[in-house]
Amino acid sequence: MDGISISIDFIYNCIINSIVEEKMNSSKKKIWAFVKNEWCLCNIIEGSPLDSEMIIQLIINDCIVPEHITISTSMIKQNSNSNEEIATLFPVDETHLLDLNNLCLMNNLHNGPLIHMLRRRFKQDKIYTYTGNILIAINPYKKIVGLYDNPVAFYNRKMSYLKDIDEVNHLHRVDVGTIQDDFPHIFDIAFNAYSNIKNMLEVDMAEVSPTTEDEVSKGNQSIIISGESGSGKTEAGKLILNFLLQL
């Protein structure tokens, strides 16, 4: 019985110590909170999402705001006429803090880390980001030196990259936005369309010469450019055409 009592006491003390340690380290933890009408990355200063209230510190533009805010930890955003901040909360995953070329590499994706990631990349003049095989482009409203200077060099670099990954990759369908893909760029979209047309026709002609229009058109490609007014759709179209004309 004594042995059992010691084991229970030991387990109880471990649990208590774990809770105390968690409380002590709470200031080092982060959380996503919808406060002041936007998603913010926050340091947890006091409390936890399990408590009725929590004190947080906003991190805006990678800078810690000195002011501490007390928020309700309700998981549902509510309208309130009081001065109390009502927030929707989500946990922070370590992938939320990385610089990713493809948002599909991010765990627990929602509006908070999505906007935060695009904003951080935008400030580094990384205006292109993949989400799967869809390219997100943000209009920089300025000229970024070297971004579009040499379409042919981009094509050669991409072909070399594909050959390094798989010696036969360039003989088959090329898919942009793959996990290995490290080229989020409007030229990459044009490269994908051009390569698929060229490579699929080469494969068809190697097997049997196409005799009908349908056989020839198997490699047809479409590029859809969508966005709000002023988002840069026209310029994106011009860049794609310029890339294709340079090859």
Side-chain angles (χ1 to χ4, degrees):
M1 293 295 293
D2 291 340
I4 295 176
S5 298
I6 293 174
S7 297
I8 293 175
D9 290 340
F10 176 78
I11 293 172
Y12 177 79
N13 288 332
C14 287
I15 293 173
I16 295 299
N17 291 335
S18 176
I19 294 174
V20 171
E21 183 178 358
E22 182 178 355
K23 291 291 185 181
M24 291 177 63
N25 293 332
S26 63
S27 62
K28 300 179 181 179
K29 295 184 178 180
K30 292 180 172 57
I31 198 166
W32 292 105
F34 191 85
V35 294
K36 300 183 181 297
N37 295 320
E38 66 175 323
W39 282 100
C40 297
L41 182 64
C42 308
N43 286 326
I44 300 176
I45 304 301
E46 185 177 322
S48 76
L50 299 178
D51 300 330
S52 60
E53 289 185 344
M54 186 167 58
I55 299 176
I56 62 173
Q57 187 177 45
L58 303 184
I59 303 175
I60 300 177
N61 297 330
D62 294 328
C63 297
I64 297 177
V65 179
E67 176 189 4
H68 292 178
I69 299 176
T70 301
I71 63 170
S72 166
T73 56
S74 170
M75 295 303 292
I76 302 177
K77 188 176 180 238
Q78 303 172 2
N79 293 324
S80 174
N81 294 324
S82 67
N83 294 326
E84 181 185 29
E85 294 283 354
I86 307 297
T88 301
L89 306 174
F90 283 101
V92 172
D93 185 88
E94 59 181 8
T95 59
H96 296 173
L97 307 178
L98 300 177
D99 183 11
L100 303 175
N101 288 325
N102 197 321
L103 295 175
C104 285
L105 293 170
M106 186 182 294
N107 299 325
N108 193 19
L109 178 62
H110 57 87
N111 287 351
L114 170 62
I115 296 172
H116 183 259
M117 178 76 68
L118 295 177
R119 181 182 291 131
R120 284 194 294 120
R121 289 178 60 82
F122 179 81
K123 290 181 178 179
Q124 300 171 23
D125 287 340
K126 298 177 180 179
I127 62 172
Y128 296 114
T129 307
Y130 272 120
T131 173
N133 61 357
I134 299 172
L135 183 68
I136 299 174
I138 302 177
N139 193 340
Y141 292 101
K142 67 177 183 179
K143 182 177 180 180
I144 300 177
V145 178
L147 190 58
Y148 310 111
D149 287 352
N150 199 331
V152 176
F154 181 94
Y155 176 86
N156 293 334
R157 184 165 66 101
K158 178 74 176 188
M159 289 298 296
S160 176
Y161 172 80
L162 291 176
K163 290 177 182 177
D164 288 342
I165 293 179
D166 188 345
E167 288 296 327
V168 298
N169 231 6
H170 65 289
L171 297 178
H172 301 287
R173 182 176 179 84
V174 180
D175 289 320
V176 298
T178 58
I179 297 303
Q180 307 100 310
D181 204 308
D182 197 36
F183 295 79
H185 197 290
I186 192 66
F187 287 169
D188 202 28
I189 298 295
F191 172 90
N192 180 59
Y194 173 82
S195 298
N196 286 335
I197 293 174
K198 178 174 177 289
N199 295 338
M200 291 177 70
L201 285 176
E202 286 178 355
V203 171
D204 287 344
M205 293 177 66
E207 295 177 353
V208 58
S209 298
T211 58
T212 67
E213 183 178 350
D214 180 62
E215 289 176 331
V216 175
S217 65
K218 285 183 179 179
N220 286 351
Q221 299 287 299
S222 297
I223 298 175
I224 300 175
I225 304 175
S226 177
E228 298 289 339
S229 177
S231 60
K233 298 186 297 297
T234 301
E235 290 302 317
K238 290 179 181 178
L239 290 167
I240 288 174
L241 291 175
N242 179 55
F243 178 87
L244 296 175
L245 290 171
Q246 293 292 324
L247 299 182

